[in-house]
Amino acid sequence: MKPLNQLFKTTLLATSITIMPFSSALYADEEISIAVAGPITGQYATFGHQMKTGTEIAVEDLNKAGGVLGKKLKLEVGDDACDPKQAVAVANQLANKKVALVAGHFCSGSSIPASKVYNEEGVIMISPGSTNPKLTEEGLSNVFRVCGRDDQQGAVAGEYIAKKYADKKVAILHDKSAYGKGLADETKKALNAAGKQEVMYEAITAGEKDYSAIVSKLKKEQIDVVYLGGYHTEAGLIIRQMRDQGMSTILAAGDALMTDEFWSITGAAGEGTLMTFSPDPSKNPIAEPIVATFRAKKIEPVGYMLYSYGAVQAWAQAVEKAGTTDAKKVEEVLRKETFKTVLGDVSFNAKGDVNAPGYVFYVWKNGKYDYVE
């Protein structure tokens, strides 16, 4: 028979072993995990940084206000580097962590395969920046976006170019990505529908440093305007190399030029570059208090920061309305209600696309971008 003091120690240890998992589970139940997923590293990390910053400040503000359903939010970060395979791995990791929301991904090529994982695992996905129509056209009930679509963006770009540069030679380039080719194709469609035919339609390879061959071809064809379906890095290099060859050709592109890194690549050579993006939410009076929060932290809310913030806001309001984080119930609310966000009043259609103002043109001047006058 064990001595009394040894028996007491054994009993206490057994009790501790029984209680500790319960205490841990109870503590975990006091938090709701959500995530931001995007290119935290890699060539397009500037956009991942924008998304992460916007989401972090949204979580911080919600927690200061009492959390969601009276529980604090815990933020997980997933790095897909804009790689489809890595995105699927990240999606599985986040699903295993039982996140209730993923604000992401950024690149459409990552969002589309990741969305299938979230759908199977019952996770709400709201993308701040994936614009390829296929993301919501696949009909997954858990998938939403607070940005527009490439068929909307391309329509604005194609019509604008056809009207403003009616007597100019136009070329269309794309980087073969889901985002880049999709946007280029939609722009071509709208350009042609407006009665204008491009002189060239060519693919480039993303990640290269030397685009002199395609630039020489543009010069030979005396192209006045080149539309690029692709990202800021390639756009910046092509502009610089056009200027090096003495070309004054205007480059136009989509929302992937909404980063100061673009100007860091081009310098003064980027002057006059055009791009499409949704109306700037930071200029909306309703966003002033949140913009002030960013600026108090010495952060200028550019690009996708406010879109990421708004994605978290919409989800949080839907959860409060549903009274649960259960994906199916939250989905129903997201499709029925209108949400007050930094982006303005946000609602979603049956596909999960945001009902919001369309795209407008911006121009780069003196290292900053603003609306085309």
Side-chain angles (χ1 to χ4, degrees):
M1 184 175 179
K2 294 181 180 179
L4 185 59
N5 64 337
Q6 186 177 346
L7 182 63
F8 175 75
K9 289 178 181 177
T10 304
T11 304
L12 183 61
L13 180 61
T15 304
S16 299
I17 291 170
T18 303
I19 291 174
M20 282 175 65
F22 172 75
S23 299
S24 177
L26 182 64
Y27 178 77
D29 195 47
E30 293 173 349
E31 294 181 327
I32 298 173
S33 291
I34 68 170
V36 58
I40 307 303
T41 61
Q43 187 176 0
Y44 308 121
T46 183
F47 299 111
H49 172 72
Q50 291 176 1
M51 292 169 60
K52 181 173 176 285
T53 300
T55 307
E56 284 175 341
I57 295 177
V59 167
E60 182 181 319
D61 288 351
L62 282 167
N63 283 342
K64 284 180 181 176
V68 176
L69 297 178
K71 300 178 181 182
K72 295 291 185 181
L73 295 180
K74 177 185 176 184
L75 183 63
E76 302 283 350
V77 179
D79 178 15
D80 66 19
C82 270
D83 176 78
K85 291 182 180 178
Q86 191 165 323
V88 170
V90 165
N92 280 299
Q93 290 166 7
L94 295 176
N96 289 336
K97 291 181 178 181
K98 306 298 181 187
V99 299
L101 164 73
V102 173
H105 296 220
F106 174 70
C107 291
S108 296
S110 294
S111 288
I112 292 167
S115 68
K116 297 176 176 64
V117 176
Y118 300 132
N119 183 256
E120 291 173 0
E121 299 295 334
V123 178
I124 297 290
M125 171 183 174
I126 306 179
S127 175
S130 289
T131 53
N132 190 294
K134 186 178 177 182
L135 178 62
T136 49
E137 289 294 335
E138 295 196 329
L140 302 181
S141 63
N142 64 309
V143 176
F144 302 83
R145 59 177 141 207
V146 290
C147 58
R149 295 168 38 136
D150 288 334
D151 46 0
Q152 299 167 332
Q153 185 170 197
V156 170
E159 289 168 11
Y160 179 88
I161 292 169
K163 182 177 180 181
K164 185 170 179 62
Y165 303 104
D167 59 343
K168 303 295 184 183
K169 290 185 175 182
V170 176
I172 298 176
L173 307 178
H174 69 81
D175 65 359
K176 307 175 194 172
S177 69
Y179 163 73
K181 188 174 188 306
L183 183 53
D185 287 347
E186 293 295 342
T187 300
K188 172 179 163 57
K189 187 189 300 182
L191 185 79
N192 298 162
K196 186 165 183 62
Q197 188 66 38
E198 71 280 1
V199 175
M200 287 170 52
Y201 177 88
E202 300 275 349
I204 64 168
T205 300
E208 292 186 349
K209 301 298 182 187
D210 183 5
Y211 291 102
S212 58
I214 192 70
V215 168
S216 295
K217 192 170 182 179
L218 293 169
K219 185 176 183 179
K220 182 181 178 182
E221 295 290 344
Q222 299 182 315
I223 298 299
D224 300 297
V225 180
V226 56
Y227 184 86
L228 173 67
Y231 292 88
H232 67 287
T233 308
E234 289 72 30
L237 291 173
I238 288 170
I239 288 172
R240 278 177 47 188
Q241 290 167 31
M242 286 196 299
R243 301 297 176 261
D244 288 345
Q245 291 200 32
M247 299 170 64
S248 58
T249 302
I250 295 168
L251 187 137
D255 53 306
L257 267 60
M258 300 294 289
T259 168
D260 289 342
E261 280 191 8
F262 169 76
W263 193 264
S264 297
I265 296 168
T266 65
E271 189 81 8
T273 299
L274 299 168
M275 60 185 176
T276 45
F277 194 55
S278 301
D280 186 353
S282 71
K283 296 180 183 293
N284 191 333
I286 199 171
E288 283 181 5
I290 294 170
V291 169
T293 299
F294 277 78
R295 289 175 177 162
K297 298 175 181 291
K298 302 190 183 306
I299 297 170
E300 189 60 28
V302 296
Y304 295 92
M305 289 186 191
L306 295 182
Y307 283 83
S308 301
Y309 192 109
V312 177
Q313 281 183 305
W315 169 83
Q317 291 171 37
V319 168
E320 292 285 359
K321 183 80 174 178
T324 177
T325 58
D326 178 76
K328 290 298 179 187
K329 293 179 180 178
V330 176
E331 288 166 14
E332 292 175 9
V333 177
L334 283 168
R335 281 189 166 78
K336 289 179 182 177
E337 303 292 333
T338 298
F339 309 99
K340 300 289 184 182
T341 78
V342 70
L343 305 174
D345 287 350
V346 165
S347 62
F348 301 95
N349 65 19
K351 292 179 180 178
D353 290 315
V354 70
N355 295 313
Y359 286 86
V360 295
F361 261 92
Y362 293 76
V363 61
W364 278 95
K365 289 182 179 179
N366 300 317
K368 302 291 182 184
Y369 57 82
D370 205 345
Y371 295 135
V372 169
E373 294 176 0

